[in-house]
């Protein structure tokens, strides 16, 4: 208890000049009205662009009923938040949380990796991976009991694969109509938009016109185009060419576009963040709604297949790849292109193998190759082949995941400062970004390096993200909004995961409410599965939801 005054002093130091001590955000419940929880005396950042203030947040059931001055409310539980930051639960717009959310283990479905960071809502189906069967998937997730709210995309990958399989060809008119119908189905069932991963096969086989045609189905139903763009480096059309393609898709389809994990990847494009920003600003000035997200790490997460293999080598899927690897002439060609891909990513020393449970886990590709006395390309191919063969036997495969150290600090800093940027984890297993993205950004970029301030960090993690995806009454602390409320210690909120120990839970979240239920208490998850599948209202022209 004697530490509370010290925390208050520290928090006041975080307030910008002129910040209000007491203010009101939204309408309040009537005086003396009973509520379930009062969060008292914290420094409130409500998710908007206004100044922070010291006050109370009152919760009844699943809703916030008051944000403002203390007094006039009674509750069976009063939380002393003096010295703490009170904010909306964070919203993560780009995650690979499926391994938790779809686990047969109830404890895993609580999604502690995100809750411990203060995240109350995650988006899935990213990089073009989302099922068109949005309603059935959402019902299954919610019925199973999940710890965070979930927002779904319909994904270009499953849409294309249902119609064309793994083939590198364009659809005919009938096939394109089937693809468009699948996107329309996903949107009518509540998807927030269309997600693509044009860097990954077989999505990479689609030309721009094909993407525009299916994206229009999402556009007419109020959706956003969210993309892992075709080239973040110099693999095909180049970073700047790829940025322009995304903007052109937005223009031609008539919809907002959002760049997932925007970056300049690899030595060929280091320093191009300024040119990327200029292209986006130009498009925004011309009326295209362009936004982006970013994670605060210098290493991306991918796999050996996508990072090193030429796209033509995986045309037709795993069986076709193995056939090519068994042909000496084709293998020579593959190895030649792999050498260039290794170079642009900084060499084998810059690829850290991160799949859990393999002999090479935690080693660089360079070290594994030296151990096996192989060229780095052949070591990578050995791992890739083993994974493909395992999948052919009906096993899970795997072992190919990598953390790829390929970004320049100056580019990361510059992108982070943009007014259309938000925070996303791109959380995938084996990379610390799954367990630590939001506190990593807070500690490294707010407190230590001061690239952005605390207000910007919270805005990029809450209200701005909710605005981009039009989330219903989420992302802000306002009366009538859903009670996704975060209380964190500005001195103790910190990552524990790193590249050596990537699965350590973050610390410093004192309380996290999800839909009014306490999901984190004193940096420990409570086991409560209060998350919901957040389906968008059915757009006009879709008929009634069955």
């Amino acid at each position: 208890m004697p530490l509370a005054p010290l925390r208050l002093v520290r928090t006041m130091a975080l307030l910008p000049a002129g910040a209000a001590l007491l203010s009101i955000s939204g309408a309040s419940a009537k005086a003396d009205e009973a509520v379930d929880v009062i969060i008292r005396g914290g420094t409130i950042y409500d998710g908007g662009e206004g100044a922070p203030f010291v006050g109370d947040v009152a919760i009844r059931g699943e809703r916030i009923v008051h944000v403002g001055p203390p007094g006039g409310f009674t509750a069976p539980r009063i939380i002393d938040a003096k010295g703490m930051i009170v904010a909306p639960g964070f919203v993560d717009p780009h995650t690979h949380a499926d391994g938790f959310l779809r686990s047969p283990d109830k404890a895993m479905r609580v999604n502690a990796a995100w809750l411990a960071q203060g995240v109350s809502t995650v988006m899935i189906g990213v990089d073009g991976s989302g099922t068109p069967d949005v309603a059935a998937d959402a019902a299954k997730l919610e019925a199973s009991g999940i710890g965070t709210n979930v927002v779904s995309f319909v994904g270009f990958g499953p849409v294309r694969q249902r119609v064309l399989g793994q083939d590198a060809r364009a659809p005919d008119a009938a096939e394109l109509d089937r693809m468009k119908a699948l996107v329309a189905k996903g949107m009518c069932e509540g998807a927030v938009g269309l997600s693509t991963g044009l860097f990954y096969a077989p999505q990479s086989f689609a030309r721009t016109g094909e993407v525009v045609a299916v994206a229009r189905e999402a556009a007419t139903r109020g959706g956003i185009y969210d993309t892992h763009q075709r080239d973040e480096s110099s693999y095909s059309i180049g970073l700047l060419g790829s940025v322009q393609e995304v903007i052109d898709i937005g223009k031609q389809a008539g919809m907002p576009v959002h760049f997932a994990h925007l970056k300049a990847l690899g030595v060929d494009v280091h320093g191009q963040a300024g040119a990327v920003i200029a292209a986006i600003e130009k498009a925004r000035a011309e009326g295209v709604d362009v936004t982006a997200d970013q994670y605060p790490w210098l290493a991306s997460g991918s796999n050996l297949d996508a990072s090193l293999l030429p796209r033509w080598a995986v045309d037709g899927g795993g069986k076709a790849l193995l056939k090519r690897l068994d042909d000496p002439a084709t293998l020579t060609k593959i190895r030649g292109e792999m050498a260039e891909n290794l170079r642009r990513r900084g060499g084998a020393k810059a690829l850290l193998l991160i799949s859990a449970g393999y002999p090479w886990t935690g080693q660089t590709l360079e070290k594994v190759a030296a151990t096996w006395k192989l060229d780095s390309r052949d070591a990578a191919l050995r791992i890739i082949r083993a994974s493909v063969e395992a999948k052919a036997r009906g096993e899970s495969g795997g072992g190919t995941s990598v953390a790829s150290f390929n970004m320049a600090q100056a580019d990361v800093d510059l992108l982070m400062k943009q007014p259309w940027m938000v925070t996303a984890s791109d959380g995938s297993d084996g990379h610390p970004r799954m367990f630590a993205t939001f506190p990593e950004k807070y500690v490294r970029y707010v407190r230590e390096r001061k690239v952005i301030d605390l207000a910007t960090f919270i805005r990029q993690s809450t209200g701005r993200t909710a605005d981009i995806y039009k989330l219903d009454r989420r992302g802000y602390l306002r009366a009538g909004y859903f009670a996704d409320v975060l209380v964190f210690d500005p001195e103790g909120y910190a990552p524990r995961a790193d590249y050596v120990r990537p699965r350590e839970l973050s610390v410093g979240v004192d309380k996290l409410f999800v839909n009014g239920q306490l999901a984190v208490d004193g940096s420990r998850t409570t086991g409560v599965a209060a998350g919901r599948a957040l389906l968008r209202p059915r757009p006009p022209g879709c008929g009634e939801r069955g």
Side-chain angles (χ1 to χ4, degrees):
M1 296 308 294
L3 292 179
L6 293 177
R7 283 212 302 260
L8 176 61
V9 171
R10 289 195 295 264
T11 303
M12 295 302 293
L14 292 170
L15 290 172
L21 289 179
L22 293 178
S23 179
I24 297 176
S25 176
S28 301
K30 292 187 297 184
D32 301 319
E33 189 172 351
V35 294
D36 297 323
V37 178
I38 297 172
I39 301 170
R40 175 154 292 165
T43 301
I44 297 172
Y45 289 76
D46 67 5
E49 295 182 348
F53 56 91
V54 175
D56 288 2
V57 175
I59 298 170
R60 184 193 302 115
E62 65 180 12
R63 300 297 179 98
I64 298 168
V65 297
H66 170 81
V67 182
F73 299 91
T74 61
R77 179 164 194 178
I78 297 177
I79 296 169
D80 181 4
K82 291 183 179 67
M84 297 288 186
I85 303 298
V86 182
F90 292 161
V91 181
D92 190 340
H94 194 96
T95 81
H96 300 275
D98 300 73
F100 290 97
L101 298 169
R102 303 182 192 281
S103 172
D105 184 348
K106 179 181 178 181
M108 290 282 285
R109 294 197 300 273
V110 168
N111 206 13
W114 272 270
L115 290 178
Q117 300 178 64
V119 174
S120 56
T121 300
V122 301
M123 299 191 189
I124 60 172
V126 300
D127 296 336
S129 66
T131 176
D133 303 321
V134 173
D137 188 56
K140 184 177 180 180
L141 283 168
E142 191 163 307
S144 71
I146 52 178
T148 54
N149 301 314
V150 170
V151 177
S152 299
F153 291 100
V154 56
F156 184 53
V159 165
R160 200 175 201 275
Q161 288 175 62
R162 285 193 189 185
V163 178
L164 299 178
Q166 298 286 334
D167 294 347
R169 67 177 180 87
D172 61 28
E175 290 168 333
L176 184 60
D177 284 344
R178 288 170 58 196
M179 292 166 63
K180 290 162 66 175
L182 287 170
V183 173
K185 166 182 158 61
M187 291 301 303
C188 287
E189 292 184 1
V192 72
L194 173 69
S195 171
T196 69
L198 301 186
F199 176 67
Y200 299 108
Q203 297 178 69
S204 58
F205 302 142
R207 295 190 176 184
T208 305
E210 177 186 330
V211 179
V212 170
V214 298
R216 285 193 180 115
E217 298 300 317
T220 60
R221 293 163 178 85
I224 191 170
Y225 177 77
D226 186 282
T227 186
H228 178 146
Q229 61 178 314
R230 193 180 297 274
D231 195 351
E232 297 176 325
S233 183
S234 57
Y235 278 93
S236 56
I237 62 175
L239 173 59
L240 298 180
S242 181
V243 167
Q244 190 59 51
E245 181 188 41
V246 175
I247 292 168
D248 290 344
I249 289 169
K251 287 180 178 179
Q252 294 174 38
M255 66 195 306
V257 295
H258 183 85
F259 289 87
H261 44 67
L262 185 60
K263 66 176 76 70
L265 185 157
V267 294
D268 292 347
V269 295
H270 285 171
Q272 289 191 13
V276 169
I277 291 166
I280 290 174
E281 290 289 358
K282 180 175 182 293
R284 286 169 61 87
E286 294 170 351
V288 185
D289 187 354
V290 187
T291 54
D293 64 58
Q294 173 199 49
Y295 48 77
W297 307 90
L298 298 184
S300 64
S302 188
N303 56 62
L304 291 173
D305 322 38
S307 299
L308 300 182
L309 292 179
R311 290 296 172 267
W312 59 264
V314 295
D315 179 8
K319 186 176 180 179
L321 171 62
L322 293 178
K323 186 176 180 180
R324 293 182 181 106
L325 294 178
D326 289 336
D327 177 71
T330 307
L331 176 60
T332 298
K333 185 178 179 183
I334 289 172
R335 291 179 78 254
E337 294 195 31
M338 287 178 69
E340 176 63 8
N341 290 340
L342 261 176
R343 180 202 63 78
R344 63 166 49 91
R345 282 187 175 262
K349 66 181 181 299
L351 294 175
L352 179 68
L353 294 155
I354 59 176
S355 296
Y358 292 86
W360 49 80
T361 302
Q363 299 180 49
T364 65
L365 180 60
E366 182 179 66
K367 183 175 180 180
V368 172
T371 299
W372 290 349
K373 296 180 170 56
L374 292 175
D375 181 271
S376 295
R377 294 166 294 176
D378 297 320
L381 287 171
R382 176 185 286 187
I383 295 171
I384 292 169
R385 178 186 282 275
S387 176
V388 173
E389 290 175 345
K391 290 177 182 176
R393 295 192 298 269
E395 302 169 11
S396 62
T400 67
S401 296
V402 294
S404 175
F405 292 83
N406 53 46
M407 282 173 267
Q409 186 69 70
D411 287 332
V412 174
D413 291 355
L414 185 58
L415 290 169
M416 190 176 290
K417 297 174 183 178
Q418 302 312 306
W420 32 261
M421 182 62 69
V422 297
T423 309
S425 69
D426 195 13
S428 52
D429 191 39
H431 194 299
R433 65 192 187 184
M434 175 177 272
F435 281 75
T437 283
F438 289 81
E440 174 75 12
K441 182 169 181 175
Y442 171 72
V443 170
R444 311 298 173 216
Y445 290 83
V446 177
R447 297 195 67 189
E448 293 180 355
R449 301 186 56 244
K450 305 186 188 310
V451 175
I452 57 173
D453 61 19
L454 177 57
T456 300
F457 165 71
I458 292 175
R459 175 78 175 142
Q460 289 183 344
S461 306
T462 58
R464 185 179 294 162
T465 310
D467 291 346
I468 289 170
Y469 294 97
K470 298 180 174 64
L471 302 186
D472 181 25
R473 288 165 291 178
R474 309 276 176 179
Y476 291 90
L477 298 181
R478 293 175 179 168
Y481 275 51
F482 291 96
D484 297 341
V485 184
L486 167 63
V487 182
F488 72 89
D489 180 356
E491 298 296 326
Y493 182 58
R496 287 292 179 264
D498 56 28
Y499 293 104
V500 178
R501 295 172 296 278
R503 299 174 184 85
E504 299 291 321
L505 291 173
S506 296
V507 297
V509 170
D510 186 65
K511 301 287 186 292
L512 177 64
F513 291 86
V514 178
N515 295 309
Q517 297 189 51
L518 190 61
V520 178
D521 189 5
S523 285
R524 294 178 179 274
T525 56
T526 63
V528 171
R532 296 177 185 166
L534 307 182
L535 298 177
R536 293 188 73 188
R538 198 164 179 81
C542 289
E544 296 299 320
R545 221 177 230 137

